[in-house]
Every structure is written in C-alpha cells, then in structure tokens.
Amino acid sequence: MKKAAPKSLTPAGKRMWTELVTSYGITDTGGLLLVQTACEASDRYQAARAAIERDGQTITDKFGQLKPHPLLSAERDARAAMLAALKALHLDLEPVKPIGRPGRPLGVTNAHD
C-alpha cells in the first residue's frame, strides 16, 4: 500500500516524496521517516534560498553595517540535513524496476544491509 506524502510538505516536497518512495520502493517505517526528513529539509532549504536570493547574501543592520543574511546558516543546515537523510537511505542503487527490465528488480535490497 502506497503511503501518501505528508500534508505539511510543499508541492515540491510532495513531488520529491512521491519520486523517492515510488522510484526506490520505500515502504518501511524507517525509510519513510528518512524520506519525510529529507523532504522537509529540502522545503526549508528552498525557502531559505529563495529569501536569500530575494534579499541578497548580506543585510544592513540598524547601525548601517553589512551583516551576513541570517538565513545563510538555516540554508546550510537544511541542505546538510537533506543530504544526510538521503545518504542514510542508501540510494546508491538503481531505482526499483519491474522484473524483465534492466536495473534492480522489485524486492531486492542493498547487499550491505
């Protein structure tokens, strides 16, 4: 049974969820939690990135001094969280493909597990 993407995700996050869950046949609770973490982090990363693109990488404080945009660290941290979750999923294998087609057949898991 295919689990729906969490409602808290943006449309882009939901597309990422669907692509990962479908392409890699992720159905276990731990895997779904990692996918959710990756998608939520991706949403935060994209939101922070959009704000930085809009505002610039620096802002002027109340004293007229240039300061790094406060969302630069949020962008960095969200990107790191997304990449860590994706790495934890061990997606170094080909996506799941039907039997009889090239690639990893259905039900085959990573040999390192």
Side-chain angles (χ1 to χ4, degrees), residues 54-69:
R54 179 189 69 232
D55 302 339
Q57 292 190 28
T58 58
I59 60 166
T60 305
D61 69 10
K62 65 182 178 180
F63 302 107
Q65 300 294 314
L66 282 180
K67 301 284 182 183
H69 195 294

Side-chain angles (χ1 to χ4, degrees), residues 85-100:
L86 291 172
K87 183 177 181 180
L89 282 167
H90 301 291
L91 300 180
D92 58 337
L93 300 173
E94 290 188 39
V96 174
K97 297 179 183 178
I99 294 175

